[in-house]
Amino acid sequence: MNAAPFPQLQVFLAVARLHSFSGAARELGVSTSAVSQAVRQLEEQLRVVLLTRTTRSVSLTDAGRRLVESAGPALRQALAALTEVSAQPGETVGRVRLSVPRAAVPYVIAPVVPTFRERHPRVEVEVAVEERFVDIVAEGYDAGVRLSEAIERDMVQVRLTDAFRFVVVGAPDYLARHGTPQRPEELLRHECITLRIRTTGTLYAWELERDRRSWRVPVRGGVVTNDSQLMVSLAEQGVGLAYAFEPMVAQQLREGRLRRVLESYAPTVPGFFLYFPSRAQLSPALRLFVDAARELLRKA
């Protein structure tokens, strides 16, 4: 094989991350045909097919997936190193790409990003808000934010928040009309606003616990959503009961717009964590973000 096809590799990784030739072209500022040609050249040099293309989708072959997993982190480090060389002494230049669930944004992203950008104006922060579980290595992210139980064991985890509870809540008028459940199984007789899990397409069973016993209650209702904020808003309007992490509904609880239900069964989770691959060298930009997040959220 000839010299390492660095430009073609960069184009391929963009297509793999975005699952789109046209999306990669827009991001890289080139034509779609140039992107297609670069990927074709890379496949010819490697003598393997990296992408399966149809008129409506782009997906990775096994060879393509292996290349993303092995070359993606190395390429990002190389680009970060090249960018860092151009910085002034003591200045960090780079980018931090994060995958974050919507529920974590007000508590771990919004309090950090403004101060971080003020301190490090040449570090770009890209936040992808998504509920699905993301392979941050394969999809080109530097780090992610999730509850600790959703993080793979081979990842480094940095605590961002204290532990908190998940609670069942309902509006006072709903409880007045339908009564207040006293045991988890009584939820099956109530109108519950349900969440559909994007990755599996199934409805989320509410998790409750007390002492050493736990329940997974397959609640049902007339409204299904994949947005927890909409679920809480509908619960405030008396549409049904909702299941949410307690900080999200703290203001509604204080103001009496919602009330806790089955509070003695509310499970506690360790909190939100920032995570990144243990085998990858931490980029200077990500290291600065980690330090800033720990400092600012500790003060908060």
Side-chain angles (χ1 to χ4, degrees):
M1 190 176 70
N2 297 330
F6 189 88
Q8 291 93 330
L9 178 59
Q10 187 175 2
V11 171
F12 161 72
L13 291 173
V15 175
R17 173 165 49 81
L18 298 169
H19 299 283
S20 167
F21 280 78
S22 58
R26 286 191 296 271
E27 180 175 285
L28 298 171
V30 298
S31 67
T32 302
S33 61
V35 169
S36 180
Q37 182 180 4
V39 172
R40 187 167 58 252
Q41 289 173 347
L42 181 61
E43 290 178 321
E44 290 173 354
Q45 287 189 269
L46 298 177
R47 298 192 181 94
V48 295
V49 176
L50 300 172
L51 295 168
T52 301
R53 311 156 174 85
T54 70
T55 56
R56 289 178 293 180
S57 65
V58 176
S59 61
L60 290 167
T61 64
D62 288 340
R65 189 172 296 104
R66 290 197 302 272
L67 182 59
V68 168
E69 292 174 352
S70 59
L75 180 61
R76 289 196 298 276
Q77 290 175 23
L79 292 173
L82 291 171
T83 305
E84 188 69 20
V85 169
S86 68
Q88 298 298 318
E91 180 184 44
T92 298
V93 178
R95 182 176 69 165
V96 176
R97 295 189 72 242
L98 303 171
S99 171
V100 182
R102 184 176 304 278
V105 171
Y107 308 100
V108 302
I109 297 300
V112 174
V113 170
T115 301
F116 178 80
R117 286 282 300 139
E118 185 178 349
R119 293 178 181 177
H120 308 288
R122 296 195 64 189
V123 176
E124 176 186 338
V125 180
E126 180 178 339
V127 181
V129 179
E130 48 198 351
E131 302 304 321
R132 65 190 179 93
F133 294 125
V134 175
D135 184 337
I136 61 173
V137 174
E139 299 194 32
Y141 292 102
D142 297 293
V145 174
R146 288 293 182 274
L147 297 175
S148 60
E149 59 263 32
I151 301 174
E152 297 292 338
R153 294 183 180 275
D154 62 347
M155 294 284 168
V156 175
Q157 299 185 34
V158 178
R159 175 180 289 279
L160 297 178
T161 70
D162 292 333
F164 52 77
R165 300 189 304 176
F166 277 87
V167 292
V168 179
V169 294
D173 67 322
Y174 173 88
L175 298 175
R177 286 184 283 117
H178 299 279
T180 302
Q182 301 300 317
R183 295 183 57 80
E185 52 268 27
E186 293 178 24
L187 290 171
L188 296 173
R189 300 196 294 268
H190 279 264
E191 182 75 13
C192 297
I193 304 165
T194 52
L195 282 169
R196 188 174 299 281
I197 302 173
R198 292 187 182 184
T199 51
T200 63
T202 59
L203 296 180
Y204 177 67
W206 292 2
E207 300 179 60
L208 302 170
E209 62 184 35
R210 187 173 185 178
D211 299 325
R212 295 185 178 181
R213 187 179 175 188
S214 60
W215 291 260
R216 289 180 59 84
V217 185
V219 297
R220 292 294 183 269
V223 177
V224 179
T225 181
N226 60 6
D227 185 87
S228 55
Q229 291 181 332
L230 174 61
M231 179 183 63
V232 170
S233 175
L234 293 174
E236 283 187 69
Q237 298 174 62
V239 173
L241 300 177
Y243 183 87
F245 78 100
E246 205 164 17
M248 175 183 282
V249 293
Q251 183 173 350
Q252 292 92 327
L253 292 170
R254 282 195 304 269
E255 297 175 356
R257 288 179 282 147
L258 290 174
R259 293 178 182 168
R260 295 177 185 85
V261 175
L262 298 169
E263 184 173 5
S264 60
Y265 294 89
T268 299
V269 296
F272 284 115
F273 289 74
L274 184 77
Y275 67 98
F276 46 86
S278 59
R279 64 178 180 273
Q281 181 181 356
L282 208 61
S283 70
L286 180 57
R287 184 178 295 110
L288 288 174
F289 188 86
V290 170
D291 292 342
R294 296 175 74 172
E295 172 202 341
L296 297 169
L297 293 174
R298 188 165 53 244
K299 289 179 181 178

